[in-house]
Amino acid sequence: MTSELDKLCINTVRMLSIDAVQKAKSGHPGLPLGDAAMAYVLFTKIMRHNPVDPHWINRDRFVLSAGHGSAMLYSLLHLTGYDLSLDDLKSFRQRGSKTPGHPEVHLTPGIEATTGPLGQGVGNIVGMAIAREHLAAMFNTPDRELINFHVFGICSDGDMMEGVASEAASLAGHLGLGCITLLYDDNGISIDGSTDITFTENVMQRFEAYGWHVLDVDGLNPDEVEAAVKAGVGETARPTFIRCRTIIGFGSPHKAGTAKAHGSPLGDEEVAATKRNLGWPDDKFFYVPNEALKHFRLAVKRGADLQMQWERELDQAKIAAPGFSQIWERFWNFTLPKDWKEKLPVWSGNDKPVATRKASEKVINSLAPALPWMIGGSADLAESNLDYMEGLGDFEKGNRNGRNLRFGVREHGMGAILNGIALTAPFIAHGATFLNFLDYMKPSVRLAALSGIPVIYVYTHDSIGLGEDGPTHQPVEHLWHMRATPNLWVMRPADANETAQCWKLAIERRDGPTALCLTRQNLPVLDPTMFSLRVERGGYVLSEASREVPDLIIMATGSEVQLALGAQKELEVQGLSTRVVSNSLSSNQTITRDSFCRQV
Amino acid sequence: MTSELDKLCINTVRMLSIDAVQKAKSGHPGLPLGDAAMAYVLFTKIMRHNPVDPHWINRDRFVLSAGHGSAMLYSLLHLTGYDLSLDDLKSFRQRGSKTPGHPEVHLTPGIEATTGPLGQGVGNIVGMAIAREHLAAMFNTPDRELINFHVFGICSDGDMMEGVASEAASLAGHLGLGCITLLYDDNGISIDGSTDITFTENVMQRFEAYGWHVLDVDGLNPDEVEAAVKAGVGETARPTFIRCRTIIGFGSPHKAGTAKAHGSPLGDEEVAATKRNLGWPDDKFFYVPNEALKHFRLAVKRGADLQMQWERELDQAKIAAPGFSQIWERFWNFTLPKDWKEKLPVWSGNDKPVATRKASEKVINSLAPALPWMIGGSADLAESNLDYMEGLGDFEKGNRNGRNLRFGVREHGMGAILNGIALTAPFIAHGATFLNFLDYMKPSVRLAALSGIPVIYVYTHDSIGLGEDGPTHQPVEHLWHMRATPNLWVMRPADANETAQCWKLAIERRDGPTALCLTRQNLPVLDPTMFSLRVERGGYVLSEASREVPDLIIMATGSEVQLALGAQKELEVQGLSTRVVSNSLSSNQTITRDSFCRQV
């Protein structure tokens, strides 16, 4: 039964949120007013989290895919005792604050993923659930569950309209990711008005079609929400989708149930009217009743107890199984084996020409057995991307140990899922497709770059060298596009050995994503005894000119480097002293519009 | 009942296709072998098309969303009498041929859309159906249906996994686009193997959830296919989805039903074995039995009759209603009213500062009533993008006259749908979202550029000037990205008058897409009597330096032009002769990585 205290607490979340939006003169009051009961139930009655240690390994995860409702999330984080003060709430959406317009991971304690671009959070949740299942398979024993956290999320109808969420949800259903409970805020309103103008599908039926466990509740009723969420947690074979019928801007006398409550402050008068309507003092701002705060802050003690108990179990596990402690610590501290670089394959100048995708395959398969962090897969192009890790199994319903992910033809879902995996634990997560199909997944790549998530993209078929598939499959603008994206490392190795070096750098990078652009066609192996291979410098002199001051400098990347070396040879014969610079890692590169031709 | 002749014809399609793939030593034999019966039924028993005039306005449309099955489509086009010879089939996938790896509109007679990147064709179909419904509302009367064509498509499980198809299908269901009949080739195989490894959702149930009319047939049985397609054509209130159970590579003794049949030639031996297995002479290549050809070519006479009958009705319509002839001809010939440019709003240097999105709104609403070609809408951001055409209604189930499209939060679906609209008739179709969300729809933008489709993108909030939404909503790399995309015009007007000029150029452009990048924030109006506004030149001297040979040249676009003019003023005071160049239309522009900051 919902108590008066519950109601007070829920209204505290609502009022803090609309005050924050009003003070910022910018933001979204509608979602916090409508979803406060849902979020309150999760944060105080369901989730196992420790506000004092937001990095506790086995904490339940919560992702607000509808990131525009950030004020609600910040309010809850403050109230339950995370390191986020009332002053932080007061500086909502201000430059340099810990409470930006949309939630940003690594910036605010308790934020698990950067969300806002709709649909991404749903994909992140699926990735977190994959990570959770795989970690459980790695570290649990029949007697002891060290990893058993749940993954919760709240999404909006905007999320439900985005294809990326559809892709991820389809895969989650296929994989039977029972640790997911997703609450869908069905308020019937989007920015342009009633969802009736464009969105009348049966979302529950769709999720049933994906294979989810589907429930339907009044999202304003905490008891109904609690019962449904508990049923979701109890369902371990399928992810759970809870349609929560809500009213956007609930409590606002003149804006509730309308698009006006969505994306603009209510206005001072309407804030006051809303407060009066919900029995709140209308002359108080950022007001937190003592009994509400006391109740919320129980989360601190509860969280500390939960974590302490878990740490006790961890200690017992370390004692029980010799060697386990080292395995555990090494994994979580990302302590790579000392000799891992020695496992990188080396090619000699006498080796036959080899495609860089093929070299990459050899690198992956040389390293993966020794690096348990490596997990990943292709968007239905494993046989072309050559990223399959032989002998390590497929991650499937019946095999959570599998380290190869079968994303299907779902590039965008793959991008968002990879972000979720890498946010959950120090995995070396990779995803593969043709370079041209970067376009299909770019919003997730951008969020990886923005959030500093160490994901590795294996983009093969990186030029017109891809063959006869034609211009629909030919990358042209993609390298420029990626190089202009801040914090995204773009690598286009010139041969097999550079490919190995690029992989090394990508694995060592922990503060952002790396794209490896690889050829389908064979490239000659540049003799490492003749050429200087220093890919870690980004641009570097690969082959020096005959004279100290060269007449010409040719810069190239990837499959064009061999052409540059050929040109150098001819030019030197003609008396032009020529230097060749390889730009494998960074800065811009030559690209011609002519390459947008219809056929090779 | 399927006759022996039907079987012969279907096998002719199969054999031509595998011969073409085998000769090219590259391509996809699996789909033609599996889907030939479906396509045969459509092209010979259902579709109203005229092979001799592939541009007949009221022809039924067919889109092969699974564009990798192009060999099947080319075979059918050849057989039914389109201007595509057996020699063209023999040069399948060769440079400069009319039979490229994936179908390309404007290159091959009978190809309605460039497909290959999966999911796009499904979106194109939805756009074609919207165009069809709107054209019908424009030109039909209770007595006379000049526009009543149907839109057919074949898609694969890859299409069904892509989010863009989900978005478009959801909207099609909402809009009740009864003129669509989509055949889904459910063969249980994708590139990486059985779809069981990643795709086990109930696709039919999902389409029911979208509001589609859903049927289930044996796709290898022409009778079942024909009955279902006829039921689809008969269903006018909902789009129809027909799951066709097929076998990939049907007939191939060793590869049927496996991923091996998907994307590589069968090999000479297996081609021969397949021919023998299907009762075909194994020593003949590109063999077309006379009776089969004769039967296929009935399409020519039938098509000519259909078109002639239709033209008669058109003539009667022209006679019956005075003025109709002119309206009809002007629309289809894209004859803009002589005075249309005079309707463009003009701002004076005394006007208050105005955001370019706001200026764009004024342009749109000044032109739309006079330009019946204008149709479009926003991905749930109409109130921010300001692209709504007042008084022209929403295109909805009950109002096919409406010219505002409500795409919902479906940017990618929007992009693919716009392509379909603009491919169907000479519409001036536009779609709007924040510039940052170009990323969500880029694959469709790329196809518009590649296919030369005149779509206009209204991208507002084009810089950190978007406000407090933060970096998840801030465009940074997007201008570089677009400028590097061949055949995409990118415009970033510096003020209200430049905005009007950019719209003028975008409307006049008929050979490719144009992106208008517009500000949220107000910009001063550059006094047209003081400055030279010549946006049609691309880069041009906006404000000349004091001396003939300037000390400095500042180049800028959009909201930075005013800053450049301010700098010029100060620099001139300091004695540095400075020229300001506005690059509103083309070439590169200043972009700083710093702008990827967390807040404004």
Side-chain angles (χ1 to χ4, degrees), chain A residues 331-344:
Chain A
F331 179 82
W332 290 100
N333 294 329
F334 197 67
T335 313
L336 299 176
K338 277 207 182 90
D339 64 344
W340 78 277
K341 290 178 203 170
E342 292 161 25
K343 295 182 194 302
L344 286 167

Side-chain angles (χ1 to χ4, degrees), chain A residues 442-458:
Chain A
K442 171 64 199 309
S444 301
V445 175
R446 183 171 217 263
L447 281 171
L450 180 61
S451 317
I453 304 176
V455 168
I456 300 175
Y457 307 111
V458 177

Side-chain angles (χ1 to χ4, degrees), chain A residues 24-26 28 93-104 107 114-120 157-159 161-164 166-167 170-171 173-175 190-193 195-203 205-206 208-211 378-384 394 396-397 406-412 436-437 439-440 442-443 446-447 449-450 468-478 480-487 588 593 596-600, chain B residues 24-26 28 93-104 107 114-120 157-159 161-164 166-167 170-171 173-175 190-193 195-203 205-206 208-211 378-384 394 396-397 406-412 436-437 439-440 442-443 446-447 449-450 468-478 480-487 588 591 593 596-600:
Chain A
K25 294 196 169 55
S26 148
H28 302 73
R93 285 183 156 244
Q94 303 311 300
R95 186 170 178 173
S97 81
K98 283 160 77 178
T99 49
H102 293 83
E104 292 178 43
L107 176 73
T114 299
T115 54
L118 288 168
Q120 298 295 328
D157 32 54
D159 292 293
M161 286 189 252
E162 290 285 8
V164 58
S166 301
E167 295 177 15
S170 171
L171 187 58
H174 167 77
L175 292 173
S190 66
I191 294 178
D192 282 347
T195 51
D196 286 350
I197 63 174
T198 189
F199 188 57
T200 49
E201 63 167 66
N202 185 331
V203 182
Q205 190 184 1
R206 173 153 66 94
E208 276 164 13
Y210 293 143
S378 163
D380 196 43
L381 288 170
E383 298 218 357
S384 295
D394 286 5
E396 268 294 352
K397 254 183 195 166
R406 298 289 198 173
F407 288 108
V409 191
R410 304 183 183 103
E411 298 84 3
H412 202 174
N436 186 61
F437 298 136
D439 283 355
Y440 270 80
K442 171 64 199 309
R446 183 171 217 263
L447 281 171
L450 180 61
E468 298 89 346
D469 274 342
T472 58
H473 287 56
Q474 284 167 5
V476 175
E477 65 275 23
H478 302 76
W480 274 27
H481 176 195
M482 288 197 292
R483 302 231 192 217
T485 304
N487 202 32
N588 286 320
R593 293 197 169 222
F596 203 76
C597 64
R598 207 164 54 67
Q599 302 262 122
V600 184
Chain B
K25 293 195 171 55
S26 146
H28 302 74
R93 286 185 154 240
Q94 302 312 299
R95 187 170 178 175
S97 81
K98 283 160 78 179
T99 48
H102 293 84
E104 292 179 43
L107 175 73
T114 299
T115 53
L118 289 167
Q120 299 295 328
D157 33 55
D159 292 293
M161 286 190 249
E162 291 284 7
V164 58
S166 302
E167 295 177 15
S170 171
L171 187 58
H174 167 79
L175 292 171
S190 65
I191 295 178
D192 282 346
T195 51
D196 287 350
I197 63 173
T198 189
F199 187 56
T200 49
E201 64 167 66
N202 185 332
V203 182
Q205 189 184 4
R206 172 151 68 93
E208 277 165 13
Y210 293 143
S378 163
D380 196 44
L381 288 171
E383 298 217 357
S384 296
D394 286 5
E396 268 293 352
K397 252 183 196 167
R406 300 288 198 173
F407 289 107
V409 191
R410 304 182 183 101
E411 298 84 3
H412 202 173
N436 186 62
F437 298 135
D439 283 353
Y440 271 78
K442 171 64 198 316
R446 183 170 217 264
L447 281 171
L450 180 61
E468 298 87 346
D469 274 342
T472 57
H473 286 56
Q474 284 167 4
V476 175
E477 66 275 22
H478 302 75
W480 273 29
H481 176 194
M482 288 197 292
R483 302 232 193 218
T485 304
N487 202 32
N588 285 320
I591 189 167
R593 291 193 171 227
F596 203 76
C597 63
R598 210 164 52 70
Q599 302 260 124
V600 184

Side-chain angles (χ1 to χ4, degrees), chain B residues 138-151:
Chain B
M138 287 171 80
F139 295 120
N140 291 354
T141 65
D143 310 326
R144 190 170 283 121
E145 284 197 347
L146 288 173
I147 305 292
N148 60 7
F149 63 84
H150 211 79
V151 182

Side-chain angles (χ1 to χ4, degrees), chain B residues 50-376:
Chain B
N50 182 2
V52 177
D53 183 1
H55 299 292
W56 173 30
I57 285 170
N58 197 40
R59 70 191 181 280
D60 284 344
R61 266 61 172 183
F62 174 79
V63 175
L64 182 65
S65 189
H68 55 271
S70 56
M72 177 180 76
L73 184 48
Y74 299 143
S75 298
L76 270 159
L77 293 173
H78 164 69
L79 290 167
T80 54
Y82 286 79
D83 180 17
L84 200 68
S85 68
L86 216 48
D87 279 341
D88 289 324
L89 285 187
K90 289 177 186 168
S91 55
F92 180 53
R93 286 185 154 240
Q94 302 312 299
R95 187 170 178 175
S97 81
K98 283 160 78 179
T99 48
H102 293 84
E104 292 179 43
V105 68
H106 306 321
L107 175 73
T108 313
I111 300 297
E112 301 282 4
T114 299
T115 53
L118 289 167
Q120 299 295 328
V122 177
N124 298 157
I125 287 165
V126 176
M128 290 174 179
I130 289 172
R132 184 274 197 202
E133 293 293 331
H134 187 61
L135 290 167
M138 287 171 80
F139 295 120
N140 291 354
T141 65
D143 310 326
R144 190 170 283 121
E145 284 197 347
L146 288 173
I147 305 292
N148 60 7
F149 63 84
H150 211 79
V151 182
F152 297 97
I154 291 181
C155 67
S156 63
D157 33 55
D159 292 293
M160 292 296 93
M161 286 190 249
E162 291 284 7
V164 58
S166 302
E167 295 177 15
S170 171
L171 187 58
H174 167 79
L175 292 171
L177 299 171
C179 61
I180 293 176
T181 296
L182 179 61
L183 284 71
Y184 162 42
D185 169 20
D186 187 6
N187 61 30
I189 293 293
S190 65
I191 295 178
D192 282 346
S194 164
T195 51
D196 287 350
I197 63 173
T198 189
F199 187 56
T200 49
E201 64 167 66
N202 185 332
V203 182
M204 290 199 295
Q205 189 184 4
R206 172 151 68 93
F207 273 73
E208 277 165 13
Y210 293 143
W212 288 50
H213 169 223
V214 175
L215 300 167
D216 185 14
V217 301
D218 174 358
L220 295 166
N221 182 327
D223 297 328
E224 283 195 30
V225 171
E226 184 177 350
V229 172
K230 283 182 172 162
V233 172
E235 165 66 64
T236 58
R238 294 175 295 170
T240 294
F241 180 83
I242 306 174
R243 176 205 190 196
C244 301
R245 281 166 279 118
T246 71
I247 296 170
I248 193 169
F250 174 81
S252 160
H254 305 100
K255 298 192 174 177
T258 74
K260 284 179 207 156
H262 171 78
S264 306
L266 295 175
D268 291 326
E269 277 183 38
E270 187 69 7
V271 166
T274 304
K275 287 179 178 173
R276 287 192 297 273
N277 192 31
L278 294 177
W280 208 255
D282 65 359
D283 58 345
K284 291 189 175 173
F285 300 93
F286 295 95
Y287 168 57
V288 180
N290 278 333
E291 59 270 47
L293 186 63
K294 207 174 136 193
H295 183 65
F296 273 115
R297 287 286 160 91
L298 293 175
V300 174
K301 169 82 167 64
R302 197 167 47 235
D305 288 348
L306 285 166
Q307 182 166 350
M308 199 189 303
Q309 189 188 332
W310 177 84
E311 280 171 357
R312 218 173 291 135
E313 286 173 38
L314 175 61
D315 289 341
Q316 285 165 2
K318 287 177 177 175
I319 293 163
F324 176 80
S325 177
Q326 200 185 31
I327 290 169
W328 175 271
E329 296 298 333
R330 281 194 171 173
F331 178 82
W332 290 100
N333 293 329
F334 198 66
T335 312
L336 299 176
K338 278 208 181 88
D339 63 344
W340 77 278
K341 290 179 202 169
E342 292 160 25
K343 295 183 195 300
L344 286 167
V346 177
W347 286 261
S348 90
N350 298 323
D351 283 337
K352 275 191 297 189
V354 56
T356 51
R357 66 169 173 159
K358 191 83 191 158
S360 166
E361 181 183 40
K362 199 167 173 184
V363 173
I364 290 171
N365 279 285
S366 303
L367 296 180
L371 301 183
W373 300 266
M374 286 180 77
I375 186 169

Side-chain angles (χ1 to χ4, degrees), chain A residues 461-521:
Chain A
H461 298 58
D462 73 342
S463 74
I464 56 166
L466 71 89
E468 298 89 346
D469 274 342
T472 58
H473 287 56
Q474 284 167 5
V476 175
E477 65 275 23
H478 302 76
L479 287 168
W480 274 27
H481 176 195
M482 288 197 292
R483 302 231 192 217
T485 304
N487 202 32
L488 174 63
W489 280 11
V490 187
M491 303 186 180
R492 193 164 181 250
D495 78 342
N497 287 311
E498 276 206 356
T499 304
Q501 295 305 308
C502 287
W503 259 107
K504 177 177 77 75
L505 294 169
I507 286 172
E508 286 175 332
R509 178 171 201 210
R510 299 310 290 167
D511 64 353
T514 302
L516 301 170
C517 304
L518 306 172
T519 67
R520 172 186 187 240
Q521 74 274 28

